[in-house]
Amino acid sequence: MRGLRIGLFPNFSAVDTGVRRTFTCRCVRKTNKKSASFLSIHHSLPNFSSYSCSAALSVMAEEEKKSFDENEAASLVKELRGNIKSNKTKSYDWRVSQLESIRKMIVENEKEIAKALYDDLSKPEFEAFISEISNAKSSCELALKELKHWMKPEKAKTSISTFPSSAEIVSEPLGVVLVISTWNFPFLLSVDPVIGAIAAGNAVVLKPSEISPATSSLLVNLFDKYLDKSAVRVVEGAVPETSALLEQKWDKILYTGSSRVGRIVMTAAAKHLTPVILELGGKCPAIVDSNVNLQVATRRIIAGKWQCNNGQACIGVDYVITTKDFAPKLIDALRKELEDCFGRNPMESKDISRIVSLNHFTRLERLLDEDNVSNKIVLGGQRDQNKLRMAPTILLDVPKDSQIMQDEIFGPLLPIITVENVKDSFDAINSKPKPLAAYLFTNDEKLKESFVQNVSAGGMLINDTILHVTVDTLPFGGVEESGMGSYHGKFSFDAFSHKKAVLYRSFNGDASIRYPPYTESKKKLMKALISDGIFGMLLALIGWSKD
């Protein structure tokens, strides 16, 4: 064992009781009984485990030698900065070659990617393809299709004060950027930002989540095989490695995870005045009106809750608000549709993901077992700690001050909160920090308009859930505690670009009015020009003035 140096995490202490790696030998997972309390770089706490295998001691010793510290992190950043001095990453050809390699990587390794996602989360193959593999591929294909257009300078209007002139906005790479991804969509949320960073012409370092070790290991191997190692790297590890990376000066950092750790990332970035994109989360509500197609609405809620990583998604439905009169009908409809989706015994369903780790499982159990919460279960509640399985669970009218209504749930628990009037739900939502997503199910046009105008969220979707993130013409990002900055599609390109303003002038049209000595006549001409343009200036020249 070795002491774990937290670095940027001074309020936390721990002992690293094992190195979490993928070994070539067959490993058997067993829970470490020694206490470990320290901060994860992702949503909530990771499941720190030890592994027993035939070569455990020698492998552990070898891994100790390969520890990634601040010196190595600094050396990596220095190397990448040196490699891009030739401006090769700025070229269209290099960007296209890397994007084509990513597309090829995805196509040729679809089965391996799906297997890694299953190993990490028991994610069904169909769900892995739809939610991660196909989305990453589509993002890459869009960048390839639009890159030349995105790179083209954007013409800008000029004012009369600079006449004659022309102007444009040039998108240039920021430099060397860091992407810290998360475990719940470990392939998509790693590859998608990297696509944007490469499309914008940057060198990039990816730090995948240690809580999804199979996908993390696969990403190392795939990036090493398909991409230009002189500009694109992957660093595996946990808190020490992330801490070492955050000590460095980057030109931008994109972090996906919890708001708690988002604050730590932002604090680290502030030391170097590094801009950040923080994609965090929060309690995403879904309002359900009574005048809806109930079957379609409940199916779409299921898709945005349990079908979406079994609730382990930052844009997943965190809680539902409906009227007291309509709640029983909604619960009955959810019960029926859940059975259609996952069978009478969802614990045995092959179409639903498991909870990612023991720590997350026990965290969810604490939410469920809190006083005045456990007695609010109206459906589900089954759990199996050994298999990390937890059934879709619905609770009705849990106390507003309960922990389940304070924290982002990030799991298969769905509280339903009732109000007298559906419009009362706006106040309930606005009383909490602004969410990453907000959903409304209704056929009332005035209610839709009022919802959009009066509820603040990172993004919104009317009469469905989660699909807004698949629309590449819409930005994806949070607001206030749910995040800052946005990406997806061209927004990813823009997120990793500096928009450089360029003004062009010739030597013609030089006017003495702008230069000293400052006379009264020059003052009148300048005021007329600024106020009324060239026509006003001409009038001033012939002696007419508003003054």
Side-chain angles (χ1 to χ4, degrees), residues 73-299:
S75 177
L76 172 59
V77 175
K78 183 179 180 180
E79 179 186 345
L80 293 178
R81 291 199 187 280
N83 291 343
I84 65 173
K85 281 185 178 179
S86 65
N87 289 331
K88 72 172 182 177
T89 63
K90 287 186 176 183
S91 74
Y92 173 78
D93 289 341
W94 183 87
R95 302 186 204 194
V96 167
S97 71
Q98 297 307 295
L99 293 173
E100 287 176 340
S101 293
I102 292 177
R103 179 172 60 184
K104 183 180 179 183
M105 176 187 81
I106 296 170
V107 171
E108 293 182 349
N109 297 277
E110 184 178 314
K111 289 184 179 179
E112 289 79 3
I113 296 166
K115 183 182 183 301
L117 294 171
Y118 182 82
D119 290 345
D120 286 330
L121 290 153
S122 293
K123 187 170 290 194
E125 184 177 353
F126 181 84
E127 186 179 331
F129 176 78
I130 293 297
S131 65
E132 300 214 42
I133 298 169
S134 66
N135 278 338
K137 183 183 175 185
S138 295
S139 179
C140 193
E141 289 176 341
L142 176 70
L144 282 166
K145 179 183 176 182
E146 299 292 340
L147 183 58
K148 190 165 287 186
H149 173 68
W150 292 349
M151 290 178 65
K152 187 177 180 180
E154 178 186 346
K155 294 297 181 182
K157 293 182 178 180
T158 58
S159 67
I160 190 65
S161 61
T162 63
F163 179 84
S165 64
S166 63
E168 63 183 10
I169 301 169
V170 176
S171 296
E172 65 177 12
L174 292 172
V176 182
V177 301
L178 173 66
V179 173
I180 306 174
S181 65
T182 189
W183 55 262
N184 56 334
F185 293 93
F187 185 78
L188 175 65
L189 295 182
S190 294
V191 174
D192 196 16
V194 169
I195 290 170
I198 289 174
N202 299 280
V204 56
V205 173
L206 168 66
K207 167 59 182 68
S209 172
E210 73 278 8
I211 306 178
S212 48
T215 307
S216 178
S217 178
L218 180 65
L219 285 166
V220 171
N221 294 331
L222 293 181
F223 275 45
D224 185 65
K225 178 180 178 181
Y226 287 89
L227 297 177
D228 181 357
K229 288 183 286 187
S230 71
V232 184
R233 298 286 184 87
V234 181
V235 174
E236 284 192 287
V239 172
E241 291 76 11
T242 308
S243 191
L245 289 170
L246 287 174
E247 283 287 350
Q248 312 311 313
K249 175 172 173 51
W250 303 90
D251 296 298
K252 195 155 199 176
I253 298 173
L254 184 147
Y255 165 75
T256 301
S258 69
S259 57
R260 174 173 54 87
V261 180
R263 289 180 172 88
I264 295 171
V265 172
M266 195 170 180
T267 299
K271 291 192 295 184
H272 302 290
L273 293 180
T274 299
V276 296
I277 298 174
L278 302 178
E279 195 271 277
L280 305 177
K283 298 190 72 62
C284 301
I287 301 170
V288 183
D289 199 2
S290 58
N291 64 347
V292 296
N293 182 323
L294 191 53
Q295 182 184 47
V296 173
T298 50
R299 283 178 178 176

Side-chain angles (χ1 to χ4, degrees), residues 189-435:
L189 295 182
S190 294
V191 174
D192 196 16
V194 169
I195 290 170
I198 289 174
N202 299 280
V204 56
V205 173
L206 168 66
K207 167 59 182 68
S209 172
E210 73 278 8
I211 306 178
S212 48
T215 307
S216 178
S217 178
L218 180 65
L219 285 166
V220 171
N221 294 331
L222 293 181
F223 275 45
D224 185 65
K225 178 180 178 181
Y226 287 89
L227 297 177
D228 181 357
K229 288 183 286 187
S230 71
V232 184
R233 298 286 184 87
V234 181
V235 174
E236 284 192 287
V239 172
E241 291 76 11
T242 308
S243 191
L245 289 170
L246 287 174
E247 283 287 350
Q248 312 311 313
K249 175 172 173 51
W250 303 90
D251 296 298
K252 195 155 199 176
I253 298 173
L254 184 147
Y255 165 75
T256 301
S258 69
S259 57
R260 174 173 54 87
V261 180
R263 289 180 172 88
I264 295 171
V265 172
M266 195 170 180
T267 299
K271 291 192 295 184
H272 302 290
L273 293 180
T274 299
V276 296
I277 298 174
L278 302 178
E279 195 271 277
L280 305 177
K283 298 190 72 62
C284 301
I287 301 170
V288 183
D289 199 2
S290 58
N291 64 347
V292 296
N293 182 323
L294 191 53
Q295 182 184 47
V296 173
T298 50
R299 283 178 178 176
R300 291 176 177 179
I301 291 171
I302 289 169
K305 181 63 175 180
W306 299 284
Q307 186 182 337
C308 192
N309 231 24
N310 201 11
Q312 299 170 108
C314 57
I315 56 169
V317 178
D318 193 271
Y319 65 104
V320 168
I321 306 178
T322 192
T323 60
K324 292 182 184 295
D325 294 339
F326 192 65
K329 294 180 182 178
L330 177 60
I331 293 169
D332 287 343
L334 283 167
R335 180 183 287 110
K336 179 184 182 304
E337 296 303 326
L338 280 168
E339 185 173 324
D340 287 348
C341 287
F342 305 117
R344 291 189 176 183
N345 184 7
M347 296 288 285
E348 300 298 324
S349 175
K350 296 180 180 179
D351 296 320
I352 195 166
S353 300
R354 66 168 170 82
I355 306 305
V356 68
S357 69
L358 179 60
N359 280 330
H360 277 279
F361 188 92
T362 55
R363 175 184 62 80
L364 291 166
E365 280 194 313
R366 286 195 296 271
L367 295 179
L368 202 55
D369 293 339
E370 187 180 356
D371 290 344
N372 298 320
V373 171
S374 58
N375 61 345
K376 301 294 184 179
I377 297 174
V378 293
L379 178 67
Q382 303 96 324
R383 59 192 98 159
D384 185 336
Q385 185 180 101
N386 291 328
K387 295 181 179 179
L388 298 179
R389 306 275 296 187
M390 189 171 285
T393 300
I394 299 174
L395 307 96
L396 181 62
D397 281 330
V398 297
K400 293 181 180 179
D401 60 352
S402 60
Q403 207 62 40
I404 200 171
M405 287 306 298
Q406 301 302 312
D407 298 338
E408 183 180 10
I409 295 170
F410 229 71
L413 316 179
L414 182 67
I416 295 179
I417 307 302
T418 61
V419 291
E420 294 295 335
N421 187 294
V422 72
K423 286 188 176 181
D424 296 337
S425 58
F426 295 178
D427 290 335
I429 295 170
N430 290 333
S431 67
K432 299 181 180 297
K434 295 178 181 180

Side-chain angles (χ1 to χ4, degrees), residues 500-518:
K500 182 164 61 179
V502 182
L503 181 69
Y504 297 94
R505 297 200 73 207
S506 73
F507 290 105
N508 299 322
D510 193 54
S512 61
I513 187 176
R514 64 180 288 195
Y515 305 115
Y518 302 125

Side-chain angles (χ1 to χ4, degrees), residues 287 426 430 438-440 442 444-457 459-462:
I287 301 170
F426 295 178
N430 290 333
Y439 307 110
L440 170 68
T442 187
D444 187 328
E445 294 300 323
K446 289 185 177 180
L447 186 62
K448 293 177 187 178
E449 182 180 348
S450 182
F451 177 71
V452 172
Q453 292 295 323
N454 295 299
V455 173
S456 182
M460 289 183 160
L461 183 51
I462 311 297

